[in-house]
Amino acid sequence: MSDIAAVILAAGEGQRLRPLTLNVPKALCPVGNVPLLDRALARVDALGLPAAVNAAYLGEAVARHAEGRAHVSVEPDGPLGTGGGLARLRSWVDGRGVLLGNADAYLHDPVLGPGPDIAALIDGWDGTSVRMLGRPAASGKGEFGDYDFAGFSLIPWRFVASLPDEKHEVVRSVWRPAEREGALTVVPYAGTYLDTGTPSLYLAANLHAAGGASLVAPDATVRGTVERAVVGAGARIDGDVRDAVVWPGGRVHAGETLTSAIRVGDDLTVPASMS
């Protein structure tokens, strides 16, 4: 795969997830007790691809987390968008095609593991067309034909080479132009995709990662009850937790019931109804 490199987009502010992202960048929010960025890097590593990560909002935290595992591009003046972030990495890409992925994409295939589940994106690629992972649109009419974007796309060097070095999005500079010239192919994704961009979707991704049961970190202390929930490292559960997420170090107090919500620390509760 020497002709393809991976770029994971991790610069976003995660405004829709606030206050969860006030002190933690969206890319480092845990899903199933694993930071989203780690899930993305593991997926491209399984494909044998070198990786780069862009960072902006709370960028130092992202850079420290990815150190030694990926090339990091920090955007000190704020996020440059999906297209601007990729353009900033042009010298690192250096003539290769790019597997571009969103750090906040939660993907799970019931048959294929991370990496093999998206391998169809790169298998047999001609190096000139744009490919996009897609899922069938719920309404029957999607963003791209019958499909909605599902977190990853494959972009030829010819597009990367001409990206404007300014804030912009790849949907306008790459995907739509490729679509107009008949050079865009949607590769269906057989598994579950969630963008984790809102509290409800973030909760849904965590509960999916728990497989319909509970996922409790080995060093968490549970004296209350936990049902269909994810409990992070060092958390303490003295009350009741159902259909919820407790972040590492979080606490649910005796007599308290946490339902359809995310708990951070001692008392920050973010409602996340999935109705």
Side-chain angles (χ1 to χ4, degrees), residues 10 24-25 27-30 33-41 53 55 58-70 72:
V24 176
L28 299 188
C29 290
N33 287 334
V34 179
L36 281 161
L37 181 57
D38 288 0
R39 289 179 173 272
L41 289 174
V53 172
L58 299 177
E60 291 184 0
V62 173
R64 287 194 303 270
H65 194 82
E67 185 178 3
R69 294 186 292 160
V72 179

Side-chain angles (χ1 to χ4, degrees), residues 3 32 57-58 73 91 93 98 102 108 124 132 140 164 191 199 206 218 255 264:
D3 56 343
Y57 176 70
L58 299 177
S73 170
S91 62
V93 174
V98 172
N102 292 341
H108 179 269
M132 172 188 295
N206 271 276
V264 179

